[in-house]
Amino acid sequence: MSKIAYILLCHKDPDAIIRQAERLTAKGDLMAIHFDARAPREAYETIRAALADNPSVTFARKRIKCGWGEWSLVQATLHAVEAALEDFPRATHFYMLSGDCMAIKSAEYAHDFLDAEDADYIESFDFFDSDWIKTGLKGDRLIYRHIFNERTHKWLFYKAYEVQKRLGLTRRIPEDLQVMIGSQWWCLRRRTVEQVLEFCRARPDVVRFFRTTWIPDETFFQTLVRHLVPGDQIRTRTLTFLMFSDYGMPVTFYNDHYDLLLSQNYLFARKISPEAHELKRRLGALYASENVDFQISDEGRSLFKFLTGRGRIGQRFAPRFWETESSLGRERELMIITCKKWHVAKRLLERIRQKTNLPAVEYLFNEEHTALPDLGGIQSTLEKRTRHRRALMRMLFDYHDTDRLIICLDTGALDLMQDFYSDRSRTRMLEIQCQFSDEYLIGHAHRVGLAGERTPPEVLDRLLPTIRNDVIFESDRIRDAGFTHLYRIRETDNPEQNALPLAEFLSISSETAHEIAQTPYLFHD
């Protein structure tokens, strides 16, 4: 059975460190602690005194001052790993943690997980070919020497960098290494960390190289493990759940994230807020529990992207020059049916086709498989259709040899609506307002990836109001946009009431509009 030695790097909050060590070792696991030498000596002594009688806790033999982006973080990790190897001969796995990480599974679950596969868990993506680095320095992290700390000595950091660039003072990457990159939160087997330390002793040139790279905690272990361990024994993932905002800052978890965290396919989470006392209490009790059935849905990142994105809807980059200079045609009329329930819009569209013979296309900007003629490849992907929207619409008008065309758009496609309304052609729009039951919204969450089959009911209960408000918000945005020739039919209205806006939208007789409004099962789910 696996026995985990946790490698804990920390720099503050000694009381929390003590509780974390007691909690993780209470179930038979182990811990090696490196407490930043920049922190007060008194805080370190408090931790040592509190854990002195705990045989499952050891400390790095040497404390060093750590700085973000520096080699010191790797060196501190190596010191803690060396202490763990020496003091814990029965440890089978070494799991890297920070002071604000907490277990989101039980110890029983974690041991079973690690016993299931003989593998190392560490992100290790090719440094140059992957897109792991989104912004900032990339290759220059390696080929130039970075001696100063970018955060505490910014001017010196960039001055030294600029001087090296100007003088061409580059260096070679060790030829036998493929540099890899990934998260610093790994879980490695005992023989792997032994191989890493042995490699460090045998290859001081590699250690010297990484000492002056920038942010080596994202490359050192990632590169060496991939160099030393067969690929089929590496799982290129972290077992610690963490998310980053659009600004590159780690997302912090609070008391109301308990159910979400438990449903993720990870063993730990980072970062837990220092003020989230109830969350810490519940997660602490969870680690010691037994026979817990975890329902893994793993929708955390998609939920975060959805919820944080609500505040940024409607923003749009400047139109492409070919969009601003092109037009669907002054004499042409584009009619848009917009509805959140796509099946309702499709039923209405089919009925309109039958009664008017108007050419119509379903959700061409939302569904890849929408039936479209061959238009030279511009119709082949959703990305191409959206990017060349006006050109696509002109070609559809030409293909159908018509001056009147109906399309369907999702209510969230405000940018498309605004673009078409700004064209010299005539544009009309019909919004279909539907009722949304909880069951329908849950199904919608599953369809768009906000929830999985095993998402806990508690998570769905909290998510439903947000999705419902989102639907209402999209309708309000359409109303507030000030579109002309905007008509509405409603599920709550009878066919007689819906016939009038249909007649005006389609420019047809009231009798034909009434027949369309009486479409059987129009609003049924």
Side-chain angles (χ1 to χ4, degrees):
M1 179 178 174
S2 60
K3 196 174 188 67
I4 306 169
Y6 292 107
I7 308 300
L8 181 65
L9 264 58
C10 46
H11 65 280
K12 61 181 180 179
D13 200 350
D15 291 338
I17 299 305
I18 294 166
R19 288 193 297 272
Q20 189 179 33
E22 291 173 341
R23 185 166 51 241
L24 295 179
T25 58
K27 295 298 290 184
D29 288 316
L30 312 158
M31 179 173 288
I33 300 173
H34 179 277
F35 194 71
D36 194 340
R38 294 184 190 275
R41 178 77 185 182
E42 297 76 18
Y44 177 63
E45 294 297 343
T46 297
I47 298 172
R48 291 213 64 145
L51 299 174
D53 296 330
N54 189 333
S56 297
V57 177
T58 191
F59 292 84
R61 304 294 188 256
K62 182 179 180 181
R63 291 174 66 209
I64 60 173
K65 295 179 179 180
C66 298
W68 184 88
E70 292 181 6
W71 168 257
S72 55
L73 288 175
V74 178
Q75 187 63 68
T77 306
L78 291 171
H79 285 329
V81 166
E82 289 168 348
L85 278 172
E86 182 179 343
D87 294 346
F88 304 137
R90 295 177 55 220
T92 62
H93 293 77
F94 295 75
Y95 196 123
M96 178 78 173
L97 291 176
S98 71
D100 50 18
C101 293
M102 284 201 70
I104 57 174
K105 298 292 186 293
S106 64
E108 179 183 65
Y109 183 98
H111 293 146
D112 289 344
F113 184 97
L114 295 176
D115 288 339
E117 280 195 282
D118 185 20
D120 296 309
Y121 294 87
I122 181 169
E123 285 189 347
S124 53
F125 303 99
D126 187 275
F127 185 93
F128 294 99
D129 292 341
S130 72
D131 63 348
W132 204 86
I133 299 174
K134 303 298 183 183
T135 59
L137 303 182
K138 190 169 184 178
D140 289 1
R141 291 189 185 193
L142 306 177
I143 64 173
Y144 296 108
R145 296 166 179 83
H146 302 281
I147 303 169
F148 302 103
N149 186 290
E150 193 269 347
R151 291 193 173 179
T152 58
H153 299 90
K154 189 177 290 289
W155 186 87
L156 287 172
F157 178 91
Y158 286 106
K159 194 66 177 178
Y161 168 57
E162 290 167 6
V163 169
Q164 291 179 79
K165 286 188 70 175
R166 187 165 60 250
L167 298 178
L169 300 177
T170 59
R171 60 176 177 174
R172 286 188 176 184
I173 298 169
E175 293 183 357
D176 60 330
L177 291 184
Q178 178 187 9
V179 179
M180 310 298 285
I181 192 167
S183 166
Q184 64 268 52
W185 312 112
W186 40 253
C187 179
L188 303 176
R189 296 166 296 174
R190 184 182 191 90
R191 64 174 176 270
T192 299
V193 296
E194 290 173 339
Q195 286 179 278
V196 168
L197 293 180
E198 183 179 341
F199 183 87
C200 291
R201 290 188 289 268
R203 292 291 302 273
D205 60 310
V206 172
V207 175
R208 282 196 302 271
F209 171 78
F210 279 104
R211 277 184 181 276
T212 51
T213 59
W214 189 40
I215 319 182
D217 53 316
E218 294 179 349
T219 55
F220 180 76
F221 287 98
Q222 296 77 3
T223 299
L224 266 57
V225 170
R226 182 64 65 172
H227 181 72
L228 298 168
V229 177
D232 61 357
Q233 297 179 28
I234 300 174
R235 303 296 173 263
T236 307
R237 58 160 297 188
T238 175
L239 297 180
T240 299
F241 180 61
L242 66 162
M243 297 190 296
F244 290 91
S245 71
D246 293 346
Y247 307 102
M249 299 301 292
V251 174
T252 301
F253 298 109
Y254 296 93
N255 290 334
D256 57 350
H257 288 123
Y258 179 80
D259 293 316
L260 180 142
L261 291 176
L262 264 60
S263 66
Q264 306 312 307
N265 189 23
Y266 296 85
L267 304 184
F268 280 75
R270 180 181 187 271
K271 338 171 45 165
I272 307 298
S273 169
E275 287 76 38
H277 302 297
E278 178 63 14
L279 177 61
K280 289 183 175 183
R281 184 194 65 77
R282 297 178 73 185
L283 291 177
L286 176 72
Y287 191 73
S289 60
E290 297 180 355
N291 301 319
V292 180
D293 183 21
F294 293 94
Q295 299 297 317
I296 307 299
S297 55
D298 218 19
E299 78 289 350
R301 288 190 175 87
S302 59
L303 275 176
F304 176 76
K305 183 178 179 181
F306 167 73
L307 295 172
T308 56
R310 298 309 89 195
R312 294 186 287 276
I313 293 176
Q315 298 179 3
R316 182 173 181 267
F317 293 106
R320 311 293 189 186
F321 73 90
W322 60 80
E323 294 178 328
T324 58
E325 296 300 323
S326 64
S327 172
L328 307 187
R330 192 180 298 275
E331 303 304 320
R332 285 172 168 169
E333 185 175 41
L334 176 64
M335 292 173 283
I336 301 170
I337 296 177
T338 182
C339 183
K340 198 64 180 179
K341 290 186 177 181
W342 295 358
H343 61 280
V344 174
K346 290 177 182 180
R347 284 187 198 133
L348 182 67
L349 197 67
E350 181 57 32
R351 187 65 167 164
I352 291 172
R353 283 198 193 101
Q354 295 172 359
K355 304 303 293 186
T356 67
N357 289 321
L358 284 171
V361 185
E362 295 177 355
Y363 285 87
L364 72 166
F365 296 107
N366 299 102
E367 294 184 305
E368 195 89 53
H369 62 268
T370 298
L372 291 170
D374 185 352
L375 302 174
I378 194 174
Q379 83 294 340
S380 59
T381 67
L382 289 176
E383 190 271 336
K384 284 186 178 181
R385 296 176 203 170
T386 304
R387 190 195 323 155
H388 305 296
R389 62 195 71 167
R390 293 197 188 185
L392 174 68
M393 297 309 302
R394 285 201 313 275
M395 296 172 78
L396 285 173
F397 274 106
D398 292 340
Y399 176 84
H400 290 287
D401 191 22
T402 183
D403 287 333
R404 302 185 75 205
L405 179 68
I406 309 175
I407 65 169
C408 292
L409 293 180
D410 186 82
T411 52
L414 187 69
D415 58 336
L416 291 172
M417 299 172 191
Q418 290 172 325
D419 197 26
F420 290 137
Y421 261 94
S422 67
D423 190 79
R424 290 195 295 269
S425 63
R426 297 188 300 273
T427 304
R428 297 168 176 264
M429 186 154 61
L430 176 72
E431 182 187 3
I432 308 175
Q433 293 188 339
C434 301
Q435 302 294 105
F436 295 92
S437 66
D438 287 351
E439 291 74 18
Y440 179 85
L441 292 178
I442 290 172
H444 174 73
H446 286 295
R447 287 189 293 273
V448 300
L450 295 176
E453 291 300 324
R454 295 186 175 182
T455 299
E458 298 82 3
V459 175
L460 288 172
D461 288 342
R462 289 199 298 272
L463 185 61
L464 281 177
T466 303
I467 299 176
R468 188 179 300 280
N469 290 338
D470 192 57
V471 172
I472 296 171
F473 177 61
E474 289 178 354
S475 181
D476 287 343
R477 287 169 61 231
I478 293 173
R479 185 187 301 270
D480 295 340
F483 295 129
T484 59
H485 305 297
L486 173 61
Y487 308 94
R488 288 184 179 84
I489 65 173
R490 299 176 174 84
E491 182 176 356
T492 54
D493 289 349
N494 58 45
E496 289 74 21
Q497 292 171 307
N498 284 331
L500 180 59
L502 274 171
E504 295 181 357
F505 170 68
L506 296 168
S507 300
I508 58 176
S509 67
S510 57
E511 291 79 8
T512 303
H514 192 270
E515 291 183 42
I516 295 172
Q518 287 183 311
T519 300
Y521 311 111
L522 176 60
F523 292 100
H524 284 204
D525 291 333

